[in-house]
């Protein structure tokens, strides 16, 4: 492998005893050198993710280097006093875990050059047992502090650190964790990067009443707040936290990405640094070898040509917002304000809500990272007939809202939900951010308020779906992927969902007829299934394809048709245990239909990377064709 172009051998393995709250000149110099070295390394290897198109999240790990350097020295100085793990509430600070694994000798430095790449075992969130040296799985934002409370209970007398942020502290989990930590006198030390930046904005602006310090102080924690870039002050506060029993929050105020020209204080610092800015930064630091490496990275391309779909690709997650704007444009301003409320959870740019925000700000509320509360607020607005709450977030977070979904249904609320990043496609963040269990939203009873789950296959169908179901009563969940998808073509080469198409809820659609069996699919799995069907037909195997855009309702006419075929294969990116395939076989049997039956879905942890996730799960065209031939 290519040698890592920054000399990590210059890292000074410092030992510090928190009983001494002041740094010597020699210790201070060593810490400063380590901080600069590690910040340079983080900028560089996260930027390789930008160069390859897999993203990377630079700001969080870059920000928190000073406190991590001190913790590393603590662990080395008085190791028996600590649980020596850099627990972290933000999986996007995963670069910290990888860098420290390298510095501790568990991960070769050269591996960092494959940051977030497919099959590199360096995904966008840390996963225990997946990456050498990584000692915990972070899950999603704001999920680690409650877990760390249990770690502290299992290690009485030891100090447990948990890195956090003003973003992660917005999650309701942390309020519960704070109360338990205080009540049980747990020796948990929160180290919070309070940089007033999240994905979509600045908490001081969209949550003007919220402060981390006052919130945690209200729960009973001792607060030690100061400048995170003042090394002596940071060190003394960390020493005080260690030397004081009980739950303590060390809150470090700093701008996002301090010292990086073009990113400091910017929301863009949350995600990966651009290659241009990284090169500019590294040039200013004299890291010429790192600059040359970045300049020579080639972004990997998906070279497979899918047949049956067009060369026009679009992002359904963005088209959702455009389609909503089209509907709202037909209302007066007064009518919009009376009938519609859109609530964001800091993901407006990722879920298509930014288009609504920009066009009709009078119906838009930018809110924080608190999915449960925001969903319920949208539901409460939609409690009255004729009113619609609109809510959006990532599909991985749907699991967090199940109880609130039940309450909304019992209150007969009208909510149009957009859960983007469904499935696995383009998900370099990997397993904890897979949107696999979306069928959980259909958790009501047969005699209560309607719930519908929709997964459009391309941008044309997304637009038609939003238009068709916008004013429907009840709970409507529309899913989309992080990835772009191509437009589906009919057998004559025309857009299947193009001009004249009308979306009909609850109805399945025959994309291709077949006499030897049918594949049933939806969403981003549909164009892959269509490619497989077309290639099978070229081999003389007459296999058909059904699109099932309404996931949780049986189309009796369609199931009677396909249930008489020799085989039925469900292909999806949802969890094989909980997705459509886990239900469809039962639906067939309940109707006395007994074709050969199988279903393909996501069944194992991710591989990292982007499109590579599909073949990793065996649900790419090659895997589909193989399964069909087993059934024939």
């Amino acid at each position: 492998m290519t040698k890592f172009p920054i000399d990590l051998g210059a890292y000074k393995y410092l030992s510090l005893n928190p009983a001494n709250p002041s740094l010597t000149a020699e210790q201070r110099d060593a810490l400063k050198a380590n901080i600069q070295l590690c910040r340079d390394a983080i900028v560089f290897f996260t930027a390789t993710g930008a160069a390859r198109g897999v993203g990377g999240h630079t700001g969080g790990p870059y920000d928190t280097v000073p406190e991590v350097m001190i913790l590393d020295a603590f662990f080395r100085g008085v190791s028996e006093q600590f649980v020596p793990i850099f627990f972290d509430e933000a999986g996007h600070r995963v670069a910290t875990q990888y860098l420290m694994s390298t510095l501790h000798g568990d991960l070769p430095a050269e591996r960092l050059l494959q940051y977030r790449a497919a099959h590199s075992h360096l995904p966008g969130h840390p996963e225990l047992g997946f990456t050498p040296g990584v000692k915990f799985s972070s899950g999603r934002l704001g999920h680690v502090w409650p877990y760390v409370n249990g770690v502290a209970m299992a290690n009485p007398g030891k100090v447990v650190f948990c890195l956090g942020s003003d973003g992660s502290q917005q999650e309701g989990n942390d309020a519960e964790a704070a109360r338990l930590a205080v009540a049980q006198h747990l020796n948990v030390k929160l180290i919070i990067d309070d940089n007033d930046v999240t994905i979509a904005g600045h908490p001081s602006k969209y949550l003007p009443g919220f402060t981390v310090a006052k919130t945690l102080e209200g729960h009973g924690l001792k607060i030690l707040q100061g400048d995170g870039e003042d090394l002596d002050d940071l060190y003394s506060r960390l020493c005080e936290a260690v030397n004081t029993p009980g739950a303590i929050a060390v809150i470090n105020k700093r701008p996002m990405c301090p010292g990086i020209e073009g990113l400091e204080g910017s929301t863009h610092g949350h995600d990966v640094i651009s290659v241009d800015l990284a090169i500019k930064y590294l040039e200013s630091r004299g890291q010429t070898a790192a600059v040359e490496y970045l300049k020579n990275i080639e972004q990997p391309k998906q070279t497979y040509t899918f047949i049956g779909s067009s060369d026009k690709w679009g992002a359904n997650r963005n088209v959702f917002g455009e389609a909503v704007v089209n509907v709202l444009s037909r209302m007066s301003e007064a009518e919009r304000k009376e009938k519609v409320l859109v609530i964001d959870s800091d993901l407006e740019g990722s879920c298509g809500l930014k288009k609504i925000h920009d066009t009709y700000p009078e119906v838009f509320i930018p809110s924080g990272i608190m999915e449960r509360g925001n969903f319920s607020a949208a539901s409460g607005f939609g409690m009255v007939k004729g009113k619609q709450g609109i809510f959006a977030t990532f599909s991985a977070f749907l699991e967090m809202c199940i109880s609130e979904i039940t309450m909304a249904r019992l209150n007969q609320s009208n909510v149009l939900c957009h859960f983007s990043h469904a499935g696995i496609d383009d998900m370099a963040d990997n397993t904890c951010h897979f949107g696999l269990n979306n069928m959980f939203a259909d958790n009501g009873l047969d005699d209560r308020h309607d719930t519908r789950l929709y997964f459009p296959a391309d941008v044309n169908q997304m637009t038609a779906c939003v238009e068709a179901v916008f004013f429907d009563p009840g709970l409507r969940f529309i899913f989309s992927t992080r990835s772009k998808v191509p437009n589906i073509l009919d057998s004559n080469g025309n857009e299947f969902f193009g001009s004249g198409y009308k979306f009909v809820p609850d109805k399945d659609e025959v994309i291709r007829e077949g006499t030897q069996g049918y594949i049933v699919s939806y969403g981003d799995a549909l164009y892959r299934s269509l490619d497989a069907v077309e290639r099978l037909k070229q081999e003389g195997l007459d296999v058909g394809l059904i699109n099932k855009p309404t996931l949780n309702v049986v189309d009796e006419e369609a199931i009677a048709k396909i249930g008489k075929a020799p085989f039925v294969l469900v292909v999806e990116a949802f969890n094989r245990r909980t997705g459509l395939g886990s239900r469809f076989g039962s639906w067939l049997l309940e109707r006395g239909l007994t074709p050969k039956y199988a279903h393909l879905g996501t069944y194992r942890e991710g591989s990292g990377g982007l499109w590579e996730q599909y073949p990793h799960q065996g649900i790419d065209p090659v895997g589909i064709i193989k399964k069909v031939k087993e059934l024939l």
Side-chain angles (χ1 to χ4, degrees):
M1 291 187 290
T2 303
K3 183 179 179 182
F4 194 78
I6 294 176
D7 181 16
L8 296 181
Y11 187 76
K12 302 177 188 301
Y13 291 92
L14 186 65
S15 297
L16 293 172
N17 187 335
N20 302 320
S22 297
L23 294 167
T24 66
E26 183 179 3
Q27 290 169 337
R28 186 182 302 107
D29 288 345
L31 278 175
K32 285 183 176 180
N34 284 347
I35 290 167
Q36 191 60 67
L37 174 68
C38 291
R39 280 183 162 170
D40 289 356
I42 286 169
V43 167
F44 166 65
F45 76 79
T46 59
T48 67
R52 290 192 181 88
V54 293
H57 296 95
T58 302
Y62 177 94
D63 279 9
T64 52
V65 166
E67 41 267 52
V68 170
M69 297 298 95
I70 293 171
L71 297 194
D72 190 47
F74 280 172
F75 294 163
R76 196 170 287 105
V78 195
S79 59
E80 69 277 1
Q81 189 175 354
F82 304 101
V83 175
I85 299 175
F86 302 99
F87 285 112
D88 192 340
E89 290 224 278
H92 289 160
R93 287 196 290 266
V94 70
T96 299
Q97 308 301 326
Y98 297 156
L99 179 58
M100 298 313 295
S101 294
T102 295
L103 294 174
H104 292 166
D106 297 309
L107 188 70
E110 290 71 27
R111 287 278 297 280
L112 299 175
L113 300 174
Q114 299 301 314
Y115 177 64
R116 289 170 65 106
H119 310 294
S120 69
H121 286 245
L122 299 174
H125 286 242
E127 295 185 14
L128 180 65
F130 192 66
T131 309
V134 168
K135 298 177 180 178
F136 72 104
S137 296
S138 71
R140 300 144 190 166
L141 191 69
H143 281 55
V144 173
W145 184 2
Y147 190 88
V148 163
N149 281 348
V151 174
M153 293 176 189
N155 292 273
K158 292 191 174 185
V159 173
V160 186
F161 290 107
C162 182
L163 298 167
S165 64
D166 50 339
S168 60
Q169 286 297 309
Q170 293 175 22
E171 287 283 13
N173 283 357
D174 281 350
E176 299 176 15
R179 292 193 290 270
L180 180 64
V182 170
Q184 296 301 315
H185 309 288
L186 300 180
N187 217 11
V188 173
K189 315 301 177 182
L190 274 291
I191 306 175
I192 296 173
D193 180 28
D194 193 358
N195 56 27
D196 194 32
V197 162
T198 55
I199 293 174
H202 303 280
S204 61
K205 291 184 171 60
Y206 64 74
L207 292 178
F210 169 69
T211 71
V212 174
K214 288 182 179 179
T215 299
L216 293 178
E217 193 171 41
H219 287 303
L221 275 79
K222 180 181 177 65
I223 305 301
L224 300 173
Q225 182 167 281
D227 182 354
E229 297 301 294
D230 183 334
L231 191 56
D232 288 287
D233 178 61
L234 173 63
Y235 178 72
S236 67
R237 286 184 290 119
L238 286 170
C239 289
E240 183 178 352
V242 171
N243 295 324
T244 305
I248 296 175
V250 179
I251 299 175
N252 301 315
K253 308 287 282 188
R254 56 164 64 91
M256 171 67 87
C257 296
I260 301 182
E261 185 179 350
L263 278 187
E264 182 172 318
S266 166
T267 56
H268 297 296
H270 165 82
D271 207 334
V272 68
I273 189 171
S274 69
V275 174
D276 288 345
L277 284 179
I279 286 173
K280 186 176 181 180
Y281 170 88
L282 292 166
E283 285 177 339
S284 74
R285 296 285 312 133
Q287 299 287 1
T288 56
V291 168
E292 288 306 309
Y293 187 89
L294 283 179
K295 288 180 177 179
N296 287 291
I297 291 177
E298 292 186 12
Q299 184 172 333
K301 301 291 185 182
Q302 164 69 283
T303 58
Y304 190 93
T305 299
F306 293 92
I307 56 178
S309 51
S310 78
D311 57 2
K312 296 179 181 178
W313 293 64
N316 269 357
R317 60 189 175 112
N318 294 328
V319 170
F320 172 85
E322 295 170 5
V324 170
V325 165
N326 288 338
V327 175
L328 296 179
S329 69
R330 299 193 288 269
M331 302 180 188
S332 67
E333 181 176 349
E335 189 179 10
R336 285 193 297 269
K337 291 177 71 173
E338 179 189 359
K339 294 185 175 180
V340 178
L341 181 67
V342 183
I343 303 183
D344 175 50
S345 297
D346 192 49
L347 291 172
E348 62 179 76
S350 297
C351 297
L353 298 189
K354 190 176 189 306
K355 180 71 173 178
I356 308 172
H357 189 180
D358 292 344
T359 310
Y360 298 117
E362 68 271 13
V363 302
F364 190 90
I365 293 180
S367 189
I369 307 164
M370 38 199 190
E371 296 83 3
R372 303 169 185 86
N374 290 336
F375 174 85
S376 287
S379 304
F381 181 87
M383 187 177 182
V384 178
K385 183 179 180 181
K387 290 183 181 287
Q388 294 286 352
I390 298 179
F391 170 82
T393 188
F394 291 168
S395 289
F397 308 153
L398 187 148
E399 299 169 14
M400 299 161 58
C401 302
I402 296 302
S403 182
E404 286 76 12
I405 290 169
T406 296
M407 188 179 79
R409 187 180 295 108
L410 292 174
N411 279 298
Q412 301 180 21
S413 295
N414 305 311
V415 192
L416 180 64
C417 305
H418 177 212
F419 282 86
S420 70
H421 293 56
I424 61 174
D425 204 10
D426 273 16
M427 296 297 289
D429 279 344
N430 223 46
T431 311
C432 73
H433 265 48
F434 286 173
L436 298 180
N437 295 312
N438 295 26
M439 300 290 280
F440 285 3
D442 184 30
N443 63 338
L445 302 174
D446 290 348
D447 64 344
R448 291 297 292 178
H449 208 39
D450 282 345
T451 299
R452 290 293 184 269
L453 312 184
Y454 303 114
F455 204 148
D458 66 15
V459 294
N460 292 327
Q461 190 169 46
M462 171 61 85
T463 300
C465 178
V466 172
E467 288 278 353
V469 309
F470 188 92
F471 292 105
D472 286 353
L475 305 182
R476 287 135 295 141
F477 295 83
I478 299 179
F479 304 127
S480 68
T481 58
R482 182 182 186 274
S483 61
K484 292 182 178 181
V485 289
N487 290 349
I488 300 297
L489 301 179
D490 63 22
S491 56
N492 296 318
N494 300 314
E495 292 188 347
F496 194 99
F497 307 112
S499 178
Y501 171 79
K502 299 293 183 183
F503 182 83
V504 181
D506 303 351
K507 294 299 293 183
D508 299 349
E509 298 162 332
V510 179
I511 305 300
R512 296 290 189 273
E513 289 285 3
T515 59
Q516 292 182 262
Y518 281 97
I519 296 173
V520 177
S521 193
Y522 58 86
D524 58 322
L526 189 73
Y527 77 86
R528 293 173 164 99
S529 297
L530 179 53
D531 177 85
V533 164
E534 293 286 11
R535 294 181 190 278
L536 287 164
K537 287 182 182 295
Q538 289 175 1
E539 295 182 32
L541 301 173
D542 190 24
V543 176
L545 176 62
I546 303 293
N547 180 34
K548 187 166 184 58
T550 305
L551 302 181
N552 63 324
V553 177
V554 177
D555 179 344
E556 296 294 349
E557 181 181 1
I559 202 168
K561 173 186 176 71
I562 63 178
K564 296 172 184 175
F567 77 83
V568 175
L569 171 64
V570 173
V571 177
E572 61 185 330
F574 282 177
N575 188 341
R576 192 173 184 278
R577 294 189 175 197
T578 65
L580 174 66
S582 68
R583 297 186 180 195
F584 205 90
S586 297
W587 291 342
L588 289 166
L589 289 175
E590 288 167 356
R591 289 155 180 82
L593 302 170
T594 57
K596 287 185 180 179
Y597 179 73
H599 60 110
L600 297 175
T602 297
Y603 71 99
R604 58 177 177 168
E605 293 186 5
S607 65
L610 300 175
W611 71 86
E612 295 94 341
Q613 300 283 10
Y614 253 82
H616 178 67
Q617 302 291 346
I619 48 180
D620 62 326
V622 173
I624 297 168
I625 290 170
K626 178 182 177 183
K627 192 65 179 180
V628 167
K629 289 182 177 180
E630 290 175 2
L631 292 169
L632 287 171

